[in-house]
Amino acid sequence: MTDFYWELPTRGDGRRVATELGTRGGFGVGTPHSVATDLRPGRFGPFDELAQVIHAAELSGVDGVVAGYDPSGEESWIVAAAALRQTRHARVAVEFHPGFGTPVYASKMSATLQRLSGGRLEWRLAVETDPADARSRGDRVTGRDRYARAAEFLTVARGVWNDEEILPGGFGGTGYEFAGDYYDVIDGGFRGILSGLPFPVVHLTGDSEDALALSARHGDVHQFALTESGFEGPAQTLAALAREHGRSVRTLLRVPVIARETSDEAWARVERLWREVHPGPGIDDPRALDRGESRWAGFDRLGHPQSTGLVGSYEDVARQLSSLRQRGADGFVLVGRPHIEELHRTGEHLLHLVDPTGRTLATQEAH
């Protein structure tokens, strides 16, 4: 069965490209403010909008959601906790920077969230972040040292975690010791209610040598962005590195999507968004960035962090996702805006075309 995740919004949502015009969720200009602590009835508060997106993700049938790290957006740990509370089945991946706190503290928070959610929390580490963002957080670790710290972070986090239940023992740990360049632990390890829980699935990202080496040793899932040059080369390198450690790492592709009943409808949506960004006559034609096979290299112009995604009819987009799966992708992190509407479209029209065996009743009964 192909895994599908959906990336949650971090700065509100809306039909427009400009972030300041995404007034859903309390962001954007002209957003009404209230001193009331409870905005009901008759008006949504910021969380109500996000809760609708999370609920739409669960209803659409995606397997999980990602609460992304965004220095200027909502705090990912809070969003992830809310998503776990709002859902019953979806997995929730929280993205965070290793410098936000100690690995022991991250593990303790995660143990509580695993208890409350039935083990549905996952991690996505944001190792490479903007240098200015790092400095603003007081983080002095730069360059390749970021990956060395991330390796220690994950080593310690797993070290204090106990999958088997261990009875409480006062204030003592379970004897875990670690002395590294970034962290030191003496008599660490969880007992009692913090033990006997599944460790979060670890997602890592990036295609640099350091990123792939880190994932080969510590990652469970590696997320690549869909690019014009493809993902097969870095994915094969990662697989070879993982085999050297007796491990395997699953591969996800992050793919922005604009899919409609027909290709013309999908391109009409692209052109409407494009005109918002390029309102003047004679400015670039968005179809000039059409790379064939439903791939379009203009998503970065519409506010996405990557340029390449898929545009076309549901059948065309499903065909390309299926092709990517056959070329080695184990699943996808999809994203579309506005989130609620695009999630419902994805669930109703797209997922079952990509993965009919796992997502249609007839094939499930046949198997």
Side-chain angles (χ1 to χ4, degrees):
M1 183 171 174
T2 305
D3 278 340
F4 288 95
Y5 289 76
W6 190 271
E7 190 118 3
L8 296 174
T10 59
R11 304 189 198 183
D13 192 19
R15 295 181 176 276
R16 307 290 292 277
V17 174
T19 302
E20 63 271 14
L21 298 177
T23 55
R24 297 183 188 179
F27 282 76
V29 297
T31 303
H33 296 280
S34 171
V35 296
T37 57
D38 187 344
L39 302 182
R40 296 171 293 180
R43 178 183 291 176
F44 277 172
F47 176 71
D48 295 295
E49 299 281 4
L50 180 59
Q52 283 197 328
V53 176
I54 295 167
H55 189 52
E58 180 108 307
L59 290 176
S60 73
V62 297
D63 302 288
V65 296
V66 178
Y69 171 76
D70 183 351
S72 299
E74 305 283 17
E75 169 54 45
S76 59
W77 281 98
I78 306 301
V79 172
L84 288 168
R85 179 66 180 86
Q86 191 74 12
T87 56
R88 296 180 60 190
H89 307 289
R91 303 190 293 270
V92 178
V94 55
E95 185 178 37
F96 63 96
H97 192 278
F100 99 104
T102 71
V104 178
Y105 181 58
S107 288
K108 183 179 180 184
M109 289 197 304
S110 298
T112 296
L113 290 173
Q114 292 294 58
R115 285 186 65 237
L116 299 180
S117 67
R120 293 184 287 119
L121 178 71
E122 301 182 352
W123 285 1
R124 187 170 81 179
L125 259 63
V127 181
E128 291 192 13
T129 58
D130 182 77
D133 167 47
R135 289 193 298 270
S136 71
R137 290 183 284 101
D139 186 1
R140 297 182 177 181
V141 180
T142 60
R144 302 187 71 176
D145 291 341
R146 295 174 298 177
Y147 286 94
R149 177 178 62 182
E152 283 195 10
F153 186 98
L154 290 169
T155 298
V156 172
R158 290 185 187 273
V160 298
W161 196 281
N162 288 304
D163 295 320
E164 300 295 328
E165 187 174 358
I166 298 177
L167 294 176
F171 293 102
T174 58
Y176 177 72
E177 307 279 338
F178 184 86
D181 294 326
Y182 301 95
Y183 307 104
D184 293 288
V185 179
I186 300 174
D187 191 23
F190 296 155
R191 293 176 173 271
I193 62 172
L194 299 180
S195 64
L197 300 162
F199 189 79
V201 172
V202 175
H203 298 238
L204 294 168
T205 62
D207 55 10
S208 68
E209 178 182 342
D210 291 325
L212 297 179
L214 176 68
S215 196
R217 292 183 65 92
H218 297 280
D220 301 307
V221 178
H222 195 92
Q223 296 185 16
F224 294 100
L226 181 64
T227 64
E228 293 187 57
S229 59
F231 71 99
E232 293 89 342
Q236 291 170 3
T237 300
L238 172 60
L241 291 171
R243 282 195 297 270
E244 293 177 5
H245 300 288
R247 307 182 70 247
S248 62
V249 181
R250 302 181 71 252
T251 298
L252 297 183
L253 277 182
R254 187 185 189 278
V255 184
V257 169
I258 296 178
R260 296 293 187 271
E261 291 285 352
T262 67
S263 179
D264 288 341
E265 289 182 41
W267 279 105
R269 173 63 176 162
V270 170
E271 289 165 358
R272 283 195 297 272
L273 296 173
W274 190 265
R275 286 196 297 272
E276 180 186 329
V277 180
H278 303 287
I283 304 295
D284 302 334
D285 179 0
R287 290 185 183 256
L289 298 173
D290 183 2
R291 299 297 183 253
E293 298 182 326
S294 301
R295 291 177 301 145
W296 184 59
F299 277 95
D300 56 336
R301 309 278 191 96
L302 304 183
H304 292 268
Q306 69 191 69
S307 61
T308 306
L310 298 178
V311 175
S313 69
Y314 297 121
E315 290 77 10
D316 291 340
V317 170
R319 189 178 303 113
Q320 293 310 311
L321 291 174
S322 297
S323 174
L324 292 167
R325 185 180 61 178
Q326 292 169 4
R327 286 150 55 187
D330 296 303
F332 303 94
V333 180
L334 302 179
V335 61
R337 300 169 183 161
H339 289 259
I340 295 174
E341 292 89 329
E342 296 303 320
L343 270 164
H344 285 301
R345 288 189 177 100
T346 297
E348 293 175 13
H349 302 290
L350 188 60
L351 298 189
H352 71 281
L353 295 177
V354 183
D355 185 24
T357 301
R359 298 176 192 276
T360 58
L361 184 59
T363 53
Q364 289 176 359
E365 290 176 344
H367 286 74

